């Protein structure tokens, strides 16, 4: 039986100023997925974790990318997918991307790696379309490539991997659900030129900061004048977490993807751990259940583990 199990990393999309264009993979949490190649055409997706999943593969974030892949292959084969989800849907750390990316990386492995990573991103985007109504690539790309990635263009797909210095990442996931589709709906459709200028200065500064290992430049560039002012209203405690973490030595941070998770970057592990304490204090006081992760940037992306 041709079967493979993959580990799929959580991801932080946007990286504050880079809405829909920047993202990075994390070393925690992970989803796990076992995919079996079948002689019969068709795709089945089942979940072992109690999160309700659409049973129609076309409506499923793991199933839709496989349908796209099989259409391109044009062969009478199928896949069975079993998902063990640990990245909670609606958390803002790329749960749908982990399913979409994991299924195509696993299937490609079973097919002898005939597709490139960029092809896999193209297929995985069908999963994001199912999940949020839009093909945004800033979660699936770092999930597949690992590290920090820039989507310079989505149509046609143009992916740039960005080297970065060692960074520690602290994430808090307040246990409220923010649906990406809702968080996109509330955004203004037009931006002021002065805001656009500030934003593209920050995106360029952030990428340069990563590539030059210039921590101060990274910190200065972690500013979002377009999306965060609107979306932060959906996240109780956001301003307090951000201000307190920066005062405690975080380089900066903001909303992870479309929220409600908040992430902070720091230079060292001790600071990253102190930020976790601050995040826990804020949400304990507000009375919102939460999970935290103190982690680093995952360099490998989806990994075949057996
Ligand atoms: N760039 C997307 C958004 C990421 O912010 O809507 C969703 O995780």
């Amino acid at each position: 039986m041709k079967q493979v199990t993959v580990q799929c990393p959580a991801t932080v999309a946007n990286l504050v100023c880079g809405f829909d264009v920047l993202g990075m993979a994390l070393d925690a949490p992970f989803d796990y997925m076992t995919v079996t190649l079948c002689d019969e055409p068709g795709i089945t997706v089942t979940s072992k974790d109690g999160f309700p999943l659409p049973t129609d593969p076309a409506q499923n974030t793991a199933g839709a990318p496989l349908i796209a892949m099989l259409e391109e292959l044009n062969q009478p084969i199928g896949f069975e997918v079993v998902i063990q989800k640990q990245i909670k849907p609606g958390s803002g750390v790329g749960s749908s991307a982990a399913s979409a990316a994991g299924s195509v990386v696993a299937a490609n492995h079973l097919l002898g790696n005939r597709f490139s990573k960029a092809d896999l991103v193209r297929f995985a985007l069908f999963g994001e379309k199912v999940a949020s109504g839009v093909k945004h690539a800033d979660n699936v790309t770092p999930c597949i490539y690992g590290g920090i990635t820039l989507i310079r263009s989505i149509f046609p797909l143009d992916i740039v991997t960005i080297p970065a210095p060692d960074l520690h990442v602290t994430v808090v996931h307040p246990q409220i659900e923010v649906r990406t589709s809702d968080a996109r709906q509330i955004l203004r459709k037009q931006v002021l030129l002065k805001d656009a200028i500030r934003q593209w200065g920050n995106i360029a500064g952030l990428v340069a900061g990563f590539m030059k290992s210039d921590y101060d430049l990274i910190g200065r560039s972690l500013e979002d004048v377009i999306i965060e002012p609107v979306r932060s209203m959906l996240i109780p405690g956001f301003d307090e977490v951000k201000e307190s973490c920066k005062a405690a030595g975080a380089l900066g941070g903001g909303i992870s993807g479309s929220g409600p998770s908040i992430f902070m970057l720091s230079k060292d592990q001790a600071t990253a751990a102190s930020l976790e304490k601050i995040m826990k204090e804020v949400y304990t006081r507000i009375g919102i259940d939460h999970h935290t992760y103190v982690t680093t940037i995952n360099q490998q992306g989806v990994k075949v583990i057996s």
Side-chain angles (χ1 to χ4, degrees), residues 13-14 19-20 92 94 136 138-139 180 184 231 257-258:
N14 302 335
F19 180 70
D20 277 3
H136 62 86
D138 47 346
N139 289 107
T180 298
R184 295 184 79 92
R231 282 186 171 171
S258 56

Side-chain angles (χ1 to χ4, degrees), residues 186-205:
I186 61 169
L187 298 175
R188 286 190 287 265
K189 301 291 174 278
Q190 289 175 334
V191 296
L192 293 174
L193 182 60
K194 74 173 176 54
D195 290 339
I197 292 168
R198 189 147 186 110
Q199 197 86 349
W200 58 56
N202 281 326
I203 298 169

